């Protein structure tokens, strides 16, 4: 029998291995475990934002001060970030994002579909390199590769975790 | 020569006077006018000039303040720019960096784009907003004679602190600094000893 995969713990380990000690977020259901692990960890800082694009500011300020930070958000939040992504972009500040997808695999909520379907094309339109992943076992390795890519090339990168991994939420309805 | 239409603070000499007292503080100016003000006061690699990213000055200053607790950080921005990133004040209050100060140059207008009326001229009181978000130390400045007290607050009082300076709507000569983002970021990091020149 396959071992249950704790991708959140694995991602946290990869973050620490790269000195990414600050995680900015507007939460999503699929991020709960990772956010809990970060907030319980003495060596990590969780920054709760009021809107996702603030993450581009925080990450840029951290980098300019010699530190590494990243952002975790739902795909809908990507829509809030588009102009803001030009800010780290024009300074070649690496902006690393972990995005949990909605509006795709078995989506229950039609209000998520527009931005969910637009997430990758819109990110690519503003120059963000996308690393989609739909196998839980591949999340941490993909995240590690994306993080190395971001910090070595000083480009903005998004890991897009498929709704297939997180599961579609049914709000108790069928 | 700058021209101005009221007896409020005149932004260029006011900013120049304040920056004289920064004593090594790093400055994150908002896009446009506050960036021109800093450059007009004398170029420094410790000014993170901005030509875009409206709304991100406060969150950028927060990221920097948390990265560099050994340095004082001043976010020097406009009323329009501050309003676009207003929720950042809640994030700042929550993170509570002791080394962070925010000063809004409030001309109650979107000066840069043609002086259209903003929200702080009629209904919004930014210091009340900041207090509501949980920033305890705030100040409103309307007189040149208060510059010293403001400098003490911005550069020496325990942060986070938030101040508003009511400034005149003025017509100042263009003073445009470096606009290549990579260059601005590089020289900033060199000044902090993070990168080689
Ligand atoms: C997202 C975004 N919207 C609009 C603009 C256009 N814009 C540039 S500066 C500015 C006004 C800024 O006003 P304020 O911060 O009050 O500065 P002031 O020039 O009045 O000192 C605007 C609206 C922009 N650059 N980005
Ligand atoms: Mg203004």
């Amino acid at each position: 029998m396959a071992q249950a995969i704790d991708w959140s713990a694995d991602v946290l380990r990869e973050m620490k291995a790269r000195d990414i000690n600050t995680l900015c977020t507007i939460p999503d259901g699929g991020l709960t475990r990772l956010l809990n692990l970060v907030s319980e960890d003495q060596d990590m800082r969780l920054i709760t934002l009021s809107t996702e694009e603030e993450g581009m500011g925080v990450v840029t300020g951290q980098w300019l001060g010699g530190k590494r930070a990243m952002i975790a958000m739902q795909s809908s939040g990507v829509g809030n970030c588009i102009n803001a992504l030009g800010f780290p972009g024009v300074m070649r500040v690496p902006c690393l994002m972990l995005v949990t997808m909605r509006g795709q695999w078995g989506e229950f909520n039609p209000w998520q579909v527009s931005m969910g379907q637009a997430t990758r094309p819109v990110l690519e339109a503003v120059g963000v390199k996308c690393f989609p992943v739909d196998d839980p076992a591949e999340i941490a390795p993909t995240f590690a590769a994306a993080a190395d890519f971001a910090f070595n090339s000083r480009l903005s990168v998004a890991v897009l975790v498929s709704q297939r991994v997180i599961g579609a939420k049914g709000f108790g309805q069928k | 020569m700058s021209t101005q239409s009221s007896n409020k603070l005149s932004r260029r000499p006011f900013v120049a006077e304040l920056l004289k007292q920064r004593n090594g503080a790093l400055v994150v100016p908002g896009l446009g006018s506050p960036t021109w003000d800093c450059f007009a006061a004398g170029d420094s690699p410790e000014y993170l000039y901005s030509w875009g990213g409206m709304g991100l000055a406060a969150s950028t200053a927060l990221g920097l303040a948390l990265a560099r607790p050994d340095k004082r950080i001043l976010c020097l921005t406009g009323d329009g720019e501050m309003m676009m990133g207003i929720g950042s004040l809640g994030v700042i209050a929550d993170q509570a960096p002791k080394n962070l100060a925010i000063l809004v140059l409030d001309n109650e207008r979107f000066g840069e784009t043609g002086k259209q009326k903003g929200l702080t001229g009629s209904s919004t009181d930014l210091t009340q907003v900041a207090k509501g978000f949980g920033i305890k130390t705030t100040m409103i400045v309307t007189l040149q004679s208060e510059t010293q007290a403001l400098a003490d607050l911005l550069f020496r009082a325990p942060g986070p602190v938030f101040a508003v300076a009511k400034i005149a709507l003025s017509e100042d000569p263009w003073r445009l600094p470096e606009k290549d983002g990579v260059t601005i970021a590089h020289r900033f990091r060199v000044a902090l000893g993070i990168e080689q020149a």
Side-chain angles (χ1 to χ4, degrees):
Chain A
M1 222 188 78
Q3 281 271 301
I5 287 159
D6 188 357
W7 64 265
S8 300
D10 296 339
V11 165
L12 177 60
R13 196 188 59 241
E14 300 295 355
M15 288 173 71
K16 288 183 160 192
R18 289 164 182 76
D19 296 326
I20 304 167
N21 297 322
T22 294
L23 180 65
C24 304
T25 194
I26 297 279
D28 183 29
L31 294 168
T32 306
R33 175 153 169 79
L34 176 61
L35 300 180
N36 285 341
L37 290 173
V38 168
S39 74
E40 286 159 9
D41 193 314
Q42 298 288 323
D43 300 326
M44 300 291 296
R45 182 193 297 275
L46 185 69
I47 299 186
T48 302
L49 304 170
S50 80
T51 175
E52 289 86 353
E53 68 266 33
E54 291 164 342
M56 276 88 251
V58 173
V59 162
T60 300
Q62 286 270 301
W63 174 260
L64 292 169
K67 292 276 161 55
R68 292 177 172 190
M70 60 167 284
I71 304 139
M73 64 184 141
Q74 184 183 88
S75 51
S76 51
V78 168
N80 290 352
C81 296
I82 297 307
N83 181 56
L85 281 163
F87 186 73
V90 74
M91 289 185 269
R92 289 290 295 274
V93 170
C95 181
L96 174 63
M97 294 168 276
L98 179 67
V99 177
T100 44
M101 294 301 300
R102 294 289 307 272
Q104 42 165 233
W105 191 269
E107 179 61 62
F108 171 82
N109 179 357
W111 300 58
Q112 287 282 356
V113 173
S114 171
M115 191 60 227
Q117 291 293 318
T119 298
R120 185 170 181 182
V122 154
L123 281 170
E124 287 176 343
V126 295
V128 177
K129 312 299 167 202
C130 292
F131 290 72
V133 54
D134 63 3
D135 172 358
E138 288 301 318
I139 296 176
T142 305
F143 173 81
D148 288 342
F149 180 102
F151 290 109
N152 287 319
S153 62
R154 294 192 175 193
L155 291 171
S156 296
V157 167
V159 177
L160 307 177
V161 179
S162 170
Q163 191 162 12
R164 197 170 180 178
V165 172
I166 308 300
K169 169 162 98 174
F171 297 93
Q173 295 180 32
K174 291 217 172 98
Chain B
M1 266 295 287
S2 89
T3 56
Q4 73 179 60
S5 51
S6 76
N7 58 359
K8 289 180 181 168
L9 292 160
S10 180
R11 64 186 307 154
R12 286 280 166 86
F14 173 68
V15 168
E17 192 57 36
L18 270 180
L19 291 179
K20 265 186 213 156
Q21 300 211 38
R22 78 183 165 92
N23 195 23
L26 307 172
V27 184
V28 180
L31 83 167
S33 316
T35 281
W36 319 155
D37 292 338
C38 288
F39 182 61
D43 191 23
S44 167
E46 293 173 331
Y47 300 160
L48 188 73
Y49 298 130
S50 172
W51 292 68
M54 185 166 173
L56 296 182
S59 53
T60 303
L62 171 63
L64 187 58
L66 296 174
R68 294 303 297 252
D70 56 319
K71 288 275 186 183
R72 189 79 182 186
I73 315 296
L74 173 65
C75 172
L76 180 70
T77 192
D79 50 294
E81 204 280 339
M82 187 69 253
M83 287 296 286
M84 194 173 280
I86 198 70
S88 304
L89 296 179
V91 186
I92 286 166
D94 185 42
Q95 296 295 324
K98 288 197 164 48
N99 56 335
L100 177 59
I102 299 165
L103 173 63
V104 177
L105 299 171
D106 185 6
N107 56 8
E108 305 176 354
R109 304 270 169 159
F110 297 94
E112 191 61 34
T113 47
K115 305 188 176 63
Q116 301 89 343
K117 274 190 183 157
L119 300 170
T120 57
S122 53
S123 50
T124 300
D125 177 340
L126 281 173
T127 54
Q128 289 296 117
V129 172
K131 280 196 184 115
F133 272 122
I135 297 179
K136 295 190 179 71
T137 311
T138 65
M139 183 177 186
I140 303 183
V141 173
T142 53
L143 302 170
Q144 189 77 35
S145 57
E146 296 167 302
T147 309
Q148 187 54 52
L150 177 64
D152 288 340
L153 182 90
L154 296 178
F155 299 122
R156 288 172 274 279
V161 301
F162 180 89
V164 170
K166 288 288 186 182
I167 58 164
L169 197 58
S170 54
E171 201 76 63
D172 301 291
W174 294 104
R175 291 300 307 275
L176 305 180
E178 177 62 53
K179 66 171 177 278
D180 178 61
V182 174
T183 304
I184 294 165
H186 175 66
R187 65 179 212 152
F188 191 88
R189 281 170 50 103
V190 170
L192 285 179
I194 298 165
E195 259 172 40
Q196 300 280 311

